[in-house]
Each structure stands twice: as structure tokens, then as C-alpha cells.
Amino acid sequence: MQNNANAARHYVEAIYAQDACAQNMGMQIEHIDIGFARLSMKIVPNMLNGHQSCHGGILFSLADTAFAYACNSDGKAAVASSGSIDFIRPALVGDQLIATASVRHQGKNTGLYDVEIINQNGKVVAFFRGYSYRLSHPISDNTLKKNQPNRQGEQS
């Protein structure tokens, strides 16, 4: 099982290296396994909405990223086909959030994943459910580099 976890971590780290959004938001990979991802992120002042709680889009981004890493962890490239979130309680500046994504069903082409976001006190902040669709290629270092924008900003 350890080899699977190591392979999963390699795939996800390759994606994270290209994931400017996750990096700029301060998301950190805590644990990866096949069909599983746990990420953390600290809420900072520029993530707050007009009510001085974390903007829902920020929470969605954290959950969506954990979902993406879980559904790509087996090395088969996948994208989201849909996702929804239920907000349970606000996250506030200084909160340390943990998003845990787990596969519920993975078929040949489509998958179903659930994500729970909790705060540093173990209180649920949000629940996310995402559906994935597998692409026709595996994840590889070459695949990721090929999808990098060229100097004109176009995909190569």
C-alpha cells in the first residue's frame, strides 16, 4: 500500500507544482493516497468578505482543490464535471482549515467524491460533493509541461 501512496503523492505533487491558485492561496498538502487528499489552509485578511468571514468562493476553492487532487491521485487525468458546497459555519481570519476529500465511487469514466472542511477546533465549516470525468490520458511530467502556456499565453 505504501508504494500506491508514494505514487499518488508523486502525481499530486506534479499537479501542485503547476497549481498557481493553490500555492497563492497558501494551500498545503497534508496527506495523499489513492482516492484521498487532505489539504490545509490558513484564513488571512484578504480572504474575507464584507461580513468579515471567509468568502464562500475561497472555501469552494479549497474543497475543489482537495477534490481535484483526490480524483487525480491514481495517475489518470480527471477534471470536475460538477461540484456543490453547503456552508455550515463561517471561517474567520486566523482559522486553520483542513479539507479532506475521499472517493465514494470511481467508475471507468466518472467518479463521485466528498469533501469535508473543518476548522482547527474540529468543527465542520462546509461539505462539498464533486463529480469527476476522466480524460483519455494519464498524468505525467510531460503532460503537465505540455499544458504550460507558451510566451504568448496560448496552450502548446
Side-chain angles (χ1 to χ4, degrees):
M1 204 60 156
Q2 186 64 26
N3 287 338
N4 287 343
N6 289 340
R9 187 159 185 95
H10 172 77
Y11 295 130
V12 170
E13 285 177 349
I15 293 169
Y16 181 80
Q18 305 297 319
D19 192 341
C21 181
Q23 292 175 32
N24 286 323
M25 291 178 70
M27 293 181 202
Q28 299 293 315
I29 298 169
E30 299 295 329
H31 184 76
I32 299 294
D33 208 332
I34 301 295
F36 179 88
R38 185 169 46 244
L39 305 180
S40 65
M41 182 179 76
K42 185 174 183 173
I43 303 304
V44 296
N46 68 353
M47 296 175 172
L48 301 181
N49 61 24
H51 297 289
Q52 296 303 292
S53 62
C54 183
H55 192 286
I58 300 291
L59 296 174
F60 191 98
S61 293
L62 175 60
D64 185 51
T65 303
F67 158 57
Y69 292 178
C71 67
N72 282 278
S73 63
D74 63 357
K76 297 174 184 167
V79 294
S81 62
S82 70
S84 64
I85 194 164
D86 293 302
F87 303 109
I88 307 303
R89 68 174 32 84
L92 305 172
V93 71
D95 281 355
Q96 184 71 29
L97 303 181
I98 301 286
T100 303
S102 300
V103 62
R104 294 295 172 232
H105 170 76
Q106 181 59 64
K108 180 179 177 185
N109 294 315
T110 61
L112 170 63
Y113 292 76
D114 286 331
V115 182
E116 178 183 67
I117 300 175
I118 62 170
N119 64 20
Q120 68 279 359
N121 299 318
K123 301 284 187 180
V124 174
V125 172
F127 292 110
F128 173 99
R129 175 160 273 191
Y131 293 87
S132 65
Y133 180 79
R134 284 192 171 161
L135 303 175
S136 61
H137 61 272
I139 296 171
S140 70
D141 295 334
N142 290 334
T143 300
L144 292 170
K145 288 176 187 169
K146 182 172 65 176
N147 290 325
Q148 284 276 68
N150 63 25
R151 283 181 236 198
Q152 290 79 32
E154 298 172 359
Q155 298 292 318
S156 45

PDB file of all heavy atoms in Angstrom, residues 86-116:
ATOM      1  N   ASP A  86     -22.120  23.072   0.630  1.00  0.00           N
ATOM      2  CA  ASP A  86     -23.038  23.519   1.673  1.00  0.00           C
ATOM      3  C   ASP A  86     -22.201  24.144   2.775  1.00  0.00           C
ATOM      4  O   ASP A  86     -21.312  23.492   3.336  1.00  0.00           O
ATOM      5  CB  ASP A  86     -23.847  22.339   2.235  1.00  0.00           C
ATOM      6  CG  ASP A  86     -24.800  21.758   1.202  1.00  0.00           C
ATOM      7  OD1 ASP A  86     -25.646  22.517   0.704  1.00  0.00           O
ATOM      8  OD2 ASP A  86     -24.678  20.558   0.900  1.00  0.00           O
ATOM      9  N   PHE A  87     -22.476  25.404   3.081  1.00  0.00           N
ATOM     10  CA  PHE A  87     -21.750  26.122   4.116  1.00  0.00           C
ATOM     11  C   PHE A  87     -22.455  25.882   5.452  1.00  0.00           C
ATOM     12  O   PHE A  87     -23.652  26.116   5.582  1.00  0.00           O
ATOM     13  CB  PHE A  87     -21.697  27.615   3.802  1.00  0.00           C
ATOM     14  CG  PHE A  87     -21.072  27.908   2.466  1.00  0.00           C
ATOM     15  CD1 PHE A  87     -21.843  28.368   1.404  1.00  0.00           C
ATOM     16  CD2 PHE A  87     -19.719  27.723   2.266  1.00  0.00           C
ATOM     17  CE1 PHE A  87     -21.274  28.640   0.174  1.00  0.00           C
ATOM     18  CE2 PHE A  87     -19.136  27.991   1.042  1.00  0.00           C
ATOM     19  CZ  PHE A  87     -19.914  28.454  -0.010  1.00  0.00           C
ATOM     20  N   ILE A  88     -21.716  25.429   6.453  1.00  0.00           N
ATOM     21  CA  ILE A  88     -22.278  25.077   7.745  1.00  0.00           C
ATOM     22  C   ILE A  88     -22.028  26.166   8.787  1.00  0.00           C
ATOM     23  O   ILE A  88     -22.928  26.537   9.528  1.00  0.00           O
ATOM     24  CB  ILE A  88     -21.703  23.726   8.244  1.00  0.00           C
ATOM     25  CG1 ILE A  88     -21.876  22.631   7.188  1.00  0.00           C
ATOM     26  CG2 ILE A  88     -22.308  23.334   9.590  1.00  0.00           C
ATOM     27  CD1 ILE A  88     -23.314  22.393   6.743  1.00  0.00           C
ATOM     28  N   ARG A  89     -20.804  26.674   8.840  1.00  0.00           N
ATOM     29  CA  ARG A  89     -20.479  27.749   9.785  1.00  0.00           C
ATOM     30  C   ARG A  89     -19.389  28.609   9.152  1.00  0.00           C
ATOM     31  O   ARG A  89     -18.649  28.146   8.279  1.00  0.00           O
ATOM     32  CB  ARG A  89     -20.049  27.217  11.152  1.00  0.00           C
ATOM     33  CG  ARG A  89     -18.729  26.500  11.189  1.00  0.00           C
ATOM     34  CD  ARG A  89     -18.266  26.102  12.604  1.00  0.00           C
ATOM     35  NE  ARG A  89     -19.313  25.782  13.550  1.00  0.00           N
ATOM     36  CZ  ARG A  89     -19.907  24.588  13.674  1.00  0.00           C
ATOM     37  NH1 ARG A  89     -19.535  23.588  12.900  1.00  0.00           N
ATOM     38  NH2 ARG A  89     -20.837  24.392  14.579  1.00  0.00           N
ATOM     39  N   PRO A  90     -19.268  29.849   9.585  1.00  0.00           N
ATOM     40  CA  PRO A  90     -18.253  30.720   8.991  1.00  0.00           C
ATOM     41  C   PRO A  90     -16.837  30.334   9.405  1.00  0.00           C
ATOM     42  O   PRO A  90     -16.623  29.777  10.484  1.00  0.00           O
ATOM     43  CB  PRO A  90     -18.618  32.107   9.521  1.00  0.00           C
ATOM     44  CG  PRO A  90     -19.385  31.859  10.763  1.00  0.00           C
ATOM     45  CD  PRO A  90     -20.080  30.536  10.583  1.00  0.00           C
ATOM     46  N   ALA A  91     -15.922  30.626   8.535  1.00  0.00           N
ATOM     47  CA  ALA A  91     -14.495  30.558   8.849  1.00  0.00           C
ATOM     48  C   ALA A  91     -14.031  32.003   9.019  1.00  0.00           C
ATOM     49  O   ALA A  91     -14.443  32.883   8.256  1.00  0.00           O
ATOM     50  CB  ALA A  91     -13.727  29.864   7.743  1.00  0.00           C
ATOM     51  N   LEU A  92     -13.201  32.228   9.999  1.00  0.00           N
ATOM     52  CA  LEU A  92     -12.777  33.579  10.348  1.00  0.00           C
ATOM     53  C   LEU A  92     -11.275  33.738  10.167  1.00  0.00           C
ATOM     54  O   LEU A  92     -10.538  32.747  10.087  1.00  0.00           O
ATOM     55  CB  LEU A  92     -13.168  33.877  11.798  1.00  0.00           C
ATOM     56  CG  LEU A  92     -14.654  33.678  12.121  1.00  0.00           C
ATOM     57  CD1 LEU A  92     -14.907  33.814  13.611  1.00  0.00           C
ATOM     58  CD2 LEU A  92     -15.522  34.629  11.312  1.00  0.00           C
ATOM     59  N   VAL A  93     -10.833  34.990  10.116  1.00  0.00           N
ATOM     60  CA  VAL A  93      -9.410  35.250   9.955  1.00  0.00           C
ATOM     61  C   VAL A  93      -8.631  34.535  11.061  1.00  0.00           C
ATOM     62  O   VAL A  93      -9.049  34.507  12.217  1.00  0.00           O
ATOM     63  CB  VAL A  93      -9.114  36.766   9.921  1.00  0.00           C
ATOM     64  CG1 VAL A  93      -9.292  37.416  11.272  1.00  0.00           C
ATOM     65  CG2 VAL A  93      -7.735  37.040   9.362  1.00  0.00           C
ATOM     66  N   GLY A  94      -7.560  33.886  10.683  1.00  0.00           N
ATOM     67  CA  GLY A  94      -6.738  33.128  11.608  1.00  0.00           C
ATOM     68  C   GLY A  94      -7.105  31.659  11.697  1.00  0.00           C
ATOM     69  O   GLY A  94      -6.313  30.867  12.216  1.00  0.00           O
ATOM     70  N   ASP A  95      -8.298  31.289  11.223  1.00  0.00           N
ATOM     71  CA  ASP A  95      -8.690  29.874  11.268  1.00  0.00           C
ATOM     72  C   ASP A  95      -7.769  29.036  10.386  1.00  0.00           C
ATOM     73  O   ASP A  95      -7.380  29.455   9.288  1.00  0.00           O
ATOM     74  CB  ASP A  95     -10.130  29.677  10.801  1.00  0.00           C
ATOM     75  CG  ASP A  95     -11.161  30.019  11.861  1.00  0.00           C
ATOM     76  OD1 ASP A  95     -10.774  30.318  13.005  1.00  0.00           O
ATOM     77  OD2 ASP A  95     -12.363  29.983  11.528  1.00  0.00           O
ATOM     78  N   GLN A  96      -7.428  27.877  10.874  1.00  0.00           N
ATOM     79  CA  GLN A  96      -6.649  26.889  10.119  1.00  0.00           C
ATOM     80  C   GLN A  96      -7.643  25.825   9.656  1.00  0.00           C
ATOM     81  O   GLN A  96      -8.211  25.120  10.477  1.00  0.00           O
ATOM     82  CB  GLN A  96      -5.558  26.269  10.991  1.00  0.00           C
ATOM     83  CG  GLN A  96      -4.656  25.303  10.270  1.00  0.00           C
ATOM     84  CD  GLN A  96      -3.714  25.990   9.291  1.00  0.00           C
ATOM     85  OE1 GLN A  96      -3.331  27.139   9.462  1.00  0.00           O
ATOM     86  NE2 GLN A  96      -3.355  25.283   8.243  1.00  0.00           N
ATOM     87  N   LEU A  97      -7.863  25.745   8.355  1.00  0.00           N
ATOM     88  CA  LEU A  97      -8.840  24.821   7.805  1.00  0.00           C
ATOM     89  C   LEU A  97      -8.171  23.568   7.266  1.00  0.00           C
ATOM     90  O   LEU A  97      -7.052  23.625   6.735  1.00  0.00           O
ATOM     91  CB  LEU A  97      -9.649  25.486   6.701  1.00  0.00           C
ATOM     92  CG  LEU A  97     -10.396  26.758   7.082  1.00  0.00           C
ATOM     93  CD1 LEU A  97     -11.178  27.277   5.891  1.00  0.00           C
ATOM     94  CD2 LEU A  97     -11.307  26.536   8.284  1.00  0.00           C
ATOM     95  N   ILE A  98      -8.877  22.459   7.374  1.00  0.00           N
ATOM     96  CA  ILE A  98      -8.452  21.184   6.801  1.00  0.00           C
ATOM     97  C   ILE A  98      -9.572  20.704   5.894  1.00  0.00           C
ATOM     98  O   ILE A  98     -10.719  20.593   6.329  1.00  0.00           O
ATOM     99  CB  ILE A  98      -8.204  20.118   7.897  1.00  0.00           C
ATOM    100  CG1 ILE A  98      -7.138  20.570   8.889  1.00  0.00           C
ATOM    101  CG2 ILE A  98      -7.866  18.763   7.271  1.00  0.00           C
ATOM    102  CD1 ILE A  98      -5.719  20.529   8.365  1.00  0.00           C
ATOM    103  N   ALA A  99      -9.240  20.432   4.643  1.00  0.00           N
ATOM    104  CA  ALA A  99     -10.192  19.869   3.679  1.00  0.00           C
ATOM    105  C   ALA A  99      -9.774  18.433   3.397  1.00  0.00           C
ATOM    106  O   ALA A  99      -8.649  18.181   2.964  1.00  0.00           O
ATOM    107  CB  ALA A  99     -10.200  20.676   2.387  1.00  0.00           C
ATOM    108  N   THR A 100     -10.682  17.500   3.650  1.00  0.00           N
ATOM    109  CA  THR A 100     -10.412  16.081   3.439  1.00  0.00           C
ATOM    110  C   THR A 100     -11.338  15.557   2.360  1.00  0.00           C
ATOM    111  O   THR A 100     -12.566  15.597   2.524  1.00  0.00           O
ATOM    112  CB  THR A 100     -10.613  15.290   4.743  1.00  0.00           C
ATOM    113  OG1 THR A 100      -9.759  15.849   5.749  1.00  0.00           O
ATOM    114  CG2 THR A 100     -10.278  13.818   4.545  1.00  0.00           C
ATOM    115  N   ALA A 101     -10.756  15.094   1.259  1.00  0.00           N
ATOM    116  CA  ALA A 101     -11.516  14.574   0.117  1.00  0.00           C
ATOM    117  C   ALA A 101     -11.352  13.069   0.036  1.00  0.00           C
ATOM    118  O   ALA A 101     -10.242  12.554   0.172  1.00  0.00           O
ATOM    119  CB  ALA A 101     -11.010  15.206  -1.183  1.00  0.00           C
ATOM    120  N   SER A 102     -12.475  12.383  -0.199  1.00  0.00           N
ATOM    121  CA  SER A 102     -12.470  10.917  -0.307  1.00  0.00           C
ATOM    122  C   SER A 102     -13.346  10.478  -1.461  1.00  0.00           C
ATOM    123  O   SER A 102     -14.424  11.028  -1.676  1.00  0.00           O
ATOM    124  CB  SER A 102     -13.021  10.275   0.968  1.00  0.00           C
ATOM    125  OG  SER A 102     -12.255  10.624   2.073  1.00  0.00           O
ATOM    126  N   VAL A 103     -12.874   9.456  -2.166  1.00  0.00           N
ATOM    127  CA  VAL A 103     -13.667   8.879  -3.246  1.00  0.00           C
ATOM    128  C   VAL A 103     -14.837   8.109  -2.647  1.00  0.00           C
ATOM    129  O   VAL A 103     -14.684   7.410  -1.649  1.00  0.00           O
ATOM    130  CB  VAL A 103     -12.807   7.970  -4.154  1.00  0.00           C
ATOM    131  CG1 VAL A 103     -12.235   6.782  -3.393  1.00  0.00           C
ATOM    132  CG2 VAL A 103     -13.588   7.512  -5.363  1.00  0.00           C
ATOM    133  N   ARG A 104     -16.011   8.268  -3.239  1.00  0.00           N
ATOM    134  CA  ARG A 104     -17.189   7.478  -2.857  1.00  0.00           C
ATOM    135  C   ARG A 104     -17.473   6.417  -3.911  1.00  0.00           C
ATOM    136  O   ARG A 104     -17.927   5.339  -3.596  1.00  0.00           O
ATOM    137  CB  ARG A 104     -18.416   8.380  -2.688  1.00  0.00           C
ATOM    138  CG  ARG A 104     -18.303   9.330  -1.538  1.00  0.00           C
ATOM    139  CD  ARG A 104     -18.263   8.573  -0.211  1.00  0.00           C
ATOM    140  NE  ARG A 104     -17.968   9.491   0.868  1.00  0.00           N
ATOM    141  CZ  ARG A 104     -17.004   9.303   1.743  1.00  0.00           C
ATOM    142  NH1 ARG A 104     -16.219   8.260   1.673  1.00  0.00           N
ATOM    143  NH2 ARG A 104     -16.790  10.173   2.699  1.00  0.00           N
ATOM    144  N   HIS A 105     -17.204   6.764  -5.172  1.00  0.00           N
ATOM    145  CA  HIS A 105     -17.370   5.819  -6.280  1.00  0.00           C
ATOM    146  C   HIS A 105     -16.471   6.280  -7.416  1.00  0.00           C
ATOM    147  O   HIS A 105     -16.449   7.464  -7.749  1.00  0.00           O
ATOM    148  CB  HIS A 105     -18.824   5.779  -6.770  1.00  0.00           C
ATOM    149  CG  HIS A 105     -18.976   5.003  -8.046  1.00  0.00           C
ATOM    150  ND1 HIS A 105     -18.950   3.630  -8.067  1.00  0.00           N
ATOM    151  CD2 HIS A 105     -19.108   5.409  -9.333  1.00  0.00           C
ATOM    152  CE1 HIS A 105     -19.078   3.220  -9.327  1.00  0.00           C
ATOM    153  NE2 HIS A 105     -19.174   4.290 -10.098  1.00  0.00           N
ATOM    154  N   GLN A 106     -15.740   5.351  -8.004  1.00  0.00           N
ATOM    155  CA  GLN A 106     -14.940   5.659  -9.187  1.00  0.00           C
ATOM    156  C   GLN A 106     -15.226   4.613 -10.234  1.00  0.00           C
ATOM    157  O   GLN A 106     -14.922   3.438 -10.051  1.00  0.00           O
ATOM    158  CB  GLN A 106     -13.442   5.691  -8.866  1.00  0.00           C
ATOM    159  CG  GLN A 106     -12.568   6.040 -10.054  1.00  0.00           C
ATOM    160  CD  GLN A 106     -12.897   7.394 -10.652  1.00  0.00           C
ATOM    161  OE1 GLN A 106     -12.752   8.417 -10.013  1.00  0.00           O
ATOM    162  NE2 GLN A 106     -13.367   7.413 -11.897  1.00  0.00           N
ATOM    163  N   GLY A 107     -15.867   5.027 -11.308  1.00  0.00           N
ATOM    164  CA  GLY A 107     -16.131   4.141 -12.425  1.00  0.00           C
ATOM    165  C   GLY A 107     -15.049   4.290 -13.474  1.00  0.00           C
ATOM    166  O   GLY A 107     -13.999   4.898 -13.239  1.00  0.00           O
ATOM    167  N   LYS A 108     -15.320   3.760 -14.649  1.00  0.00           N
ATOM    168  CA  LYS A 108     -14.345   3.845 -15.739  1.00  0.00           C
ATOM    169  C   LYS A 108     -14.091   5.296 -16.142  1.00  0.00           C
ATOM    170  O   LYS A 108     -12.947   5.685 -16.349  1.00  0.00           O
ATOM    171  CB  LYS A 108     -14.849   3.048 -16.944  1.00  0.00           C
ATOM    172  CG  LYS A 108     -13.905   3.071 -18.116  1.00  0.00           C
ATOM    173  CD  LYS A 108     -14.421   2.259 -19.279  1.00  0.00           C
ATOM    174  CE  LYS A 108     -13.464   2.366 -20.456  1.00  0.00           C
ATOM    175  NZ  LYS A 108     -13.980   1.682 -21.634  1.00  0.00           N
ATOM    176  N   ASN A 109     -15.155   6.096 -16.255  1.00  0.00           N
ATOM    177  CA  ASN A 109     -15.006   7.480 -16.702  1.00  0.00           C
ATOM    178  C   ASN A 109     -15.438   8.530 -15.699  1.00  0.00           C
ATOM    179  O   ASN A 109     -15.007   9.674 -15.779  1.00  0.00           O
ATOM    180  CB  ASN A 109     -15.783   7.703 -18.001  1.00  0.00           C
ATOM    181  CG  ASN A 109     -15.201   6.923 -19.147  1.00  0.00           C
ATOM    182  OD1 ASN A 109     -13.998   6.909 -19.337  1.00  0.00           O
ATOM    183  ND2 ASN A 109     -16.046   6.256 -19.902  1.00  0.00           N
ATOM    184  N   THR A 110     -16.336   8.188 -14.791  1.00  0.00           N
ATOM    185  CA  THR A 110     -16.858   9.185 -13.861  1.00  0.00           C
ATOM    186  C   THR A 110     -16.631   8.760 -12.422  1.00  0.00           C
ATOM    187  O   THR A 110     -16.571   7.573 -12.111  1.00  0.00           O
ATOM    188  CB  THR A 110     -18.362   9.431 -14.090  1.00  0.00           C
ATOM    189  OG1 THR A 110     -19.068   8.207 -13.881  1.00  0.00           O
ATOM    190  CG2 THR A 110     -18.628   9.961 -15.490  1.00  0.00           C
ATOM    191  N   GLY A 111     -16.518   9.753 -11.560  1.00  0.00           N
ATOM    192  CA  GLY A 111     -16.310   9.495 -10.142  1.00  0.00           C
ATOM    193  C   GLY A 111     -17.120  10.442  -9.282  1.00  0.00           C
ATOM    194  O   GLY A 111     -17.532  11.517  -9.729  1.00  0.00           O
ATOM    195  N   LEU A 112     -17.339  10.036  -8.050  1.00  0.00           N
ATOM    196  CA  LEU A 112     -18.066  10.825  -7.061  1.00  0.00           C
ATOM    197  C   LEU A 112     -17.180  10.953  -5.832  1.00  0.00           C
ATOM    198  O   LEU A 112     -16.682   9.947  -5.302  1.00  0.00           O
ATOM    199  CB  LEU A 112     -19.381  10.127  -6.689  1.00  0.00           C
ATOM    200  CG  LEU A 112     -20.156  10.681  -5.506  1.00  0.00           C
ATOM    201  CD1 LEU A 112     -20.616  12.104  -5.788  1.00  0.00           C
ATOM    202  CD2 LEU A 112     -21.346   9.782  -5.216  1.00  0.00           C
ATOM    203  N   TYR A 113     -16.965  12.190  -5.368  1.00  0.00           N
ATOM    204  CA  TYR A 113     -16.067  12.474  -4.256  1.00  0.00           C
ATOM    205  C   TYR A 113     -16.749  13.409  -3.267  1.00  0.00           C
ATOM    206  O   TYR A 113     -17.473  14.320  -3.667  1.00  0.00           O
ATOM    207  CB  TYR A 113     -14.778  13.136  -4.763  1.00  0.00           C
ATOM    208  CG  TYR A 113     -13.928  12.212  -5.592  1.00  0.00           C
ATOM    209  CD1 TYR A 113     -14.269  11.905  -6.903  1.00  0.00           C
ATOM    210  CD2 TYR A 113     -12.797  11.627  -5.051  1.00  0.00           C
ATOM    211  CE1 TYR A 113     -13.502  11.027  -7.662  1.00  0.00           C
ATOM    212  CE2 TYR A 113     -12.021  10.761  -5.802  1.00  0.00           C
ATOM    213  CZ  TYR A 113     -12.384  10.462  -7.100  1.00  0.00           C
ATOM    214  OH  TYR A 113     -11.617   9.594  -7.836  1.00  0.00           O
ATOM    215  N   ASP A 114     -16.498  13.176  -1.980  1.00  0.00           N
ATOM    216  CA  ASP A 114     -16.988  14.050  -0.927  1.00  0.00           C
ATOM    217  C   ASP A 114     -15.816  14.714  -0.228  1.00  0.00           C
ATOM    218  O   ASP A 114     -14.768  14.090  -0.039  1.00  0.00           O
ATOM    219  CB  ASP A 114     -17.803  13.261   0.105  1.00  0.00           C
ATOM    220  CG  ASP A 114     -19.172  12.860  -0.415  1.00  0.00           C
ATOM    221  OD1 ASP A 114     -19.725  13.581  -1.274  1.00  0.00           O
ATOM    222  OD2 ASP A 114     -19.701  11.834   0.033  1.00  0.00           O
ATOM    223  N   VAL A 115     -16.024  15.975   0.144  1.00  0.00           N
ATOM    224  CA  VAL A 115     -15.004  16.750   0.842  1.00  0.00           C
ATOM    225  C   VAL A 115     -15.644  17.376   2.077  1.00  0.00           C
ATOM    226  O   VAL A 115     -16.735  17.940   1.997  1.00  0.00           O
ATOM    227  CB  VAL A 115     -14.418  17.873  -0.043  1.00  0.00           C
ATOM    228  CG1 VAL A 115     -13.319  18.633   0.689  1.00  0.00           C
ATOM    229  CG2 VAL A 115     -13.916  17.326  -1.377  1.00  0.00           C
ATOM    230  N   GLU A 116     -14.943  17.272   3.191  1.00  0.00           N
ATOM    231  CA  GLU A 116     -15.365  17.923   4.425  1.00  0.00           C
ATOM    232  C   GLU A 116     -14.292  18.934   4.798  1.00  0.00           C
ATOM    233  O   GLU A 116     -13.103  18.608   4.809  1.00  0.00           O
ATOM    234  CB  GLU A 116     -15.514  16.888   5.541  1.00  0.00           C
ATOM    235  CG  GLU A 116     -15.916  17.484   6.872  1.00  0.00           C
ATOM    236  CD  GLU A 116     -15.980  16.429   7.966  1.00  0.00           C
ATOM    237  OE1 GLU A 116     -14.906  15.885   8.322  1.00  0.00           O
ATOM    238  OE2 GLU A 116     -17.091  16.167   8.444  1.00  0.00           O
TER     239      GLU A 116
END
